[in-house]
Amino acid sequence: MLKSGLLFLLLSFSGCAALLFRDIVQQSTTRNYDYTKYHNMSEISAWMEQIVKENPGVVTSQTYGKTFEGRDITLLKISVANPDGKEKKAVWMDCGIHAREWIAPAFCQWFVREVLQTYRTDEKMKEMVQNLDFYVTPVLNIDGYVYTWINETTRLWRKSRSPPPANCTCYGVDLNRNFNANWGTVGVSTDCCSNTYCGESPASEKEAQAVTEFVKNRTKEIICFLTIHSYGQQVLLPYGHPQIMAPNHAELLEAGTGAAKAMTAVHKQEYEAGTPPEILYEFSGSSKDWARLAGIPFSYTFELRDKNEFGFLLPEDQIQPACQEAYAGARHIITYAHDKFFTDSNNAGAVSASITLWVTALTSYLITYVLE
């Protein structure tokens, strides 16, 4: 009987130890996660789950669509309560709309880590996280991204993986030509085998539909829309059509130019800002253009490293500097947008209050000393 009891205790202890070891390993996942390596979709999904577990009450995940192949399109939401009960605004960021641009998902992961590591100690970031929610989609074109990981022959795949239309044999649509923003007018192809094939109709692709539905229901909330690409080292502002200019072009250019300067300052790699027709090439149907047309005031595409030395095959030893540059640019634009809606509005309120006091005092004076 004694031996049986001891055996039971030993087995119980072993089981508990095994569970404890498993929990320790799981809990250390994001601390040990290598942000200077490219990760496949399974690893990114596991990282997202762990980020949520490690940041209860701050980070949540939300599935807001499915790809053609049935994969969940999921974002991370970073949100803390505003201590004054103010209405919050939001920032949107997506990465990996073009499958082969691996540096983009790497940056979305880097961005989430930086925000979570700094918002408690960095006073400006703390202020912005209290006033802004962050919606971050690490990989939007999941089917395409998974496809690029199969082997070297698929590594440079760009488009989605939806089936071809009638009388064609080529899969996929360029998701950044598929949004309902001057769709199909310039810089696109109607040849389904082209890398810039815009699809059969605006937002024909499930990924474009998912973003459209999620964002358009929050256009009064989202003040900044950032979509991350590579390569070229550019900050692109609306619009891609050469004959259309955003109504707030001047402030878009001001914030974008400031971001490009901030990115350049990090490692002395030159970044520039402008509309696509000015510094890249004209094209329509982009998510950036759609977001601005939908009413989001600050909308940008980031083209990260490099300038055609490695192109889409950016080595892993450049992930960290590229992400540091991108973070500097993103923070600049987010700060600009935040201060416009919060600091400026507070100042406007203070000015209004001062004017009210001045008018009240002047009225009192006139009544007391002039009209009597």
Side-chain angles (χ1 to χ4, degrees):
M1 187 72 179
L2 182 59
K3 289 182 179 180
S4 298
L6 287 172
L7 180 60
F8 175 77
L9 287 172
L10 285 170
L11 289 172
S12 299
F13 177 78
S14 299
C16 290
L19 289 172
L20 179 61
F21 178 74
R22 184 198 66 185
D23 290 342
I24 291 171
V25 170
Q26 288 179 343
Q27 290 171 8
S28 66
T29 298
T30 59
R31 288 192 292 271
N32 295 337
Y33 194 77
D34 194 341
Y35 291 86
T36 65
K37 300 289 184 184
Y38 294 119
H39 294 277
N40 61 37
M41 197 63 224
S42 296
E43 293 168 339
I44 294 173
S45 295
W47 168 84
M48 293 174 70
E49 292 176 4
Q50 196 63 30
I51 282 286
V52 173
K53 289 179 183 177
E54 292 180 4
N55 296 275
V58 177
V59 183
T60 56
S61 65
Q62 180 175 346
T63 297
Y64 62 99
K66 284 189 177 292
T67 67
F68 175 79
E69 295 180 349
R71 296 181 174 93
D72 288 341
I73 304 172
T74 304
L75 59 78
L76 294 174
K77 180 182 180 181
I78 302 173
S79 180
V80 301
N82 184 287
D84 301 320
K86 292 180 183 177
E87 180 183 356
K88 299 186 73 174
K89 296 297 184 180
V91 172
W92 170 275
M93 180 182 291
D94 67 75
C95 295
I97 194 171
H98 286 151
R100 62 192 179 186
E101 299 168 8
W102 286 9
I103 187 61
F107 173 63
C108 263
Q109 295 166 79
W110 185 282
F111 178 83
V112 168
R113 183 191 68 167
E114 287 298 307
V115 172
L116 294 176
Q117 284 186 346
T118 60
Y119 84 92
R120 290 184 176 90
T121 56
D122 182 318
E123 286 301 317
K124 187 61 181 181
M125 183 56 72
K126 180 180 180 180
E127 177 191 1
M128 292 196 293
V129 170
Q130 289 175 345
N131 290 329
L132 301 170
D133 291 334
F134 293 82
Y135 298 110
V136 182
T137 303
V139 184
L140 179 56
N141 181 9
I142 302 172
D143 292 348
Y145 187 72
V146 169
Y147 189 68
T148 64
W149 278 83
I150 293 176
N151 55 48
E152 291 183 0
T153 66
T154 64
R155 173 63 181 86
L156 293 179
W157 184 260
R158 168 185 169 99
K159 300 186 291 181
S160 69
R161 291 294 298 164
S162 57
N167 303 317
C168 185
T169 58
C170 298
Y171 278 69
V173 168
D174 182 348
L175 295 176
N176 206 40
R177 303 292 186 275
N178 190 238
F179 283 79
N180 192 12
N182 306 303
W183 177 84
T185 54
V186 295
V188 302
S189 175
T190 56
D191 176 3
C192 78
C193 292
S194 169
N195 267 338
T196 58
Y197 174 53
C198 61
E200 294 188 279
S201 61
S204 61
E205 300 304 285
K206 290 181 178 294
E207 295 85 353
Q209 292 168 14
V211 173
T212 298
E213 287 301 312
F214 186 92
V215 173
K216 80 174 184 180
N217 291 327
R218 296 165 176 80
T219 53
K220 292 182 179 180
E221 174 190 355
I222 298 173
I223 61 173
C224 182
F225 184 101
L226 301 175
T227 179
I228 312 301
H229 291 243
S230 72
Y231 55 91
Q233 298 178 196
Q234 296 166 325
V235 178
L236 302 176
L237 47 136
Y239 290 107
H241 196 294
Q243 297 177 355
I244 304 174
M245 181 176 290
N248 63 330
H249 175 81
E251 67 176 357
L252 281 166
L253 183 60
E254 180 182 1
T257 300
K261 289 180 179 178
M263 296 165 88
T264 299
V266 177
H267 294 293
K268 309 306 178 186
Q269 292 290 315
E270 184 179 355
Y271 285 78
E272 61 180 332
T275 65
E278 292 171 336
I279 63 173
L280 185 58
Y281 47 73
E282 60 187 47
F283 63 96
S284 58
S286 72
S287 63
K288 158 187 59 65
D289 285 3
W290 174 83
R292 186 62 196 87
L293 288 170
I296 297 172
F298 294 95
S299 180
Y300 297 88
T301 296
F302 279 19
E303 296 285 355
L304 306 188
R305 288 192 180 194
D306 56 10
K307 288 196 171 185
N308 206 29
E309 181 180 0
F310 297 102
F312 302 117
L313 303 176
L314 192 71
E316 288 184 329
D317 63 9
Q318 292 199 38
I319 292 176
Q320 179 170 325
C323 288
Q324 290 170 336
E325 292 161 354
Y327 184 78
R331 175 162 175 154
H332 180 91
I333 288 174
I334 292 167
T335 301
Y336 188 104
H338 168 272
D339 289 353
K340 177 179 174 64
F341 279 86
F342 290 95
T343 305
D344 289 357
S345 63
N346 291 340
N347 290 342
V351 170
S352 177
S354 297
I355 291 173
T356 300
L357 288 171
W358 183 83
V359 170
T360 301
L362 178 61
T363 302
S364 177
Y365 172 81
L366 289 173
I367 290 173
T368 303
Y369 296 103
V370 177
L371 298 181
E372 286 186 348

